[in-house]
């Protein structure tokens, strides 16, 4: 068994990119408008469709 000090800490830097994107999306509060294109949506959704959802993820990954 390895000592605990040799194990890397569990933080966002050690998480795979898809998991970081999920965390970013989950941290967005629904606001009644799409977070990418500002189209009106219900008060539960964050994006109007898959295109905006994917575009947000791509832009988020690009800006990291």
């Amino acid at each position: 068994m390895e000592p605990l000090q040799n194990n890397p800490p569990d933080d966002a830097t050690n998480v795979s990119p898809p998991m970081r994107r999920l965390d970013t999306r989950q941290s967005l509060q629904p606001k009644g408008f799409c977070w990418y294109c500002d189209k009106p949506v219900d008060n539960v959704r964050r994006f109007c469709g898959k295109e905006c959802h994917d575009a947000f993820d791509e832009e988020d990954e690009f800006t990291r």
Side-chain angles (χ1 to χ4, degrees), residues 25 27-39 41 45-48 52 56 59:
R25 277 185 271 137
S27 69
L28 299 174
Q29 296 296 317
K31 61 180 184 175
F33 293 92
C34 175
W35 274 92
Y36 190 75
C37 73
D38 289 329
K39 270 187 183 177
V41 295
R45 296 178 60 188
R46 294 173 179 89
F47 299 97
C48 62
C52 284
F56 180 87
E59 188 173 305

Side-chain angles (χ1 to χ4, degrees), residues 15-26:
V15 177
S16 65
M19 188 60 153
R20 282 192 301 220
R21 283 189 295 230
L22 179 65
D23 291 341
T24 301
R25 277 185 271 137
Q26 292 300 322

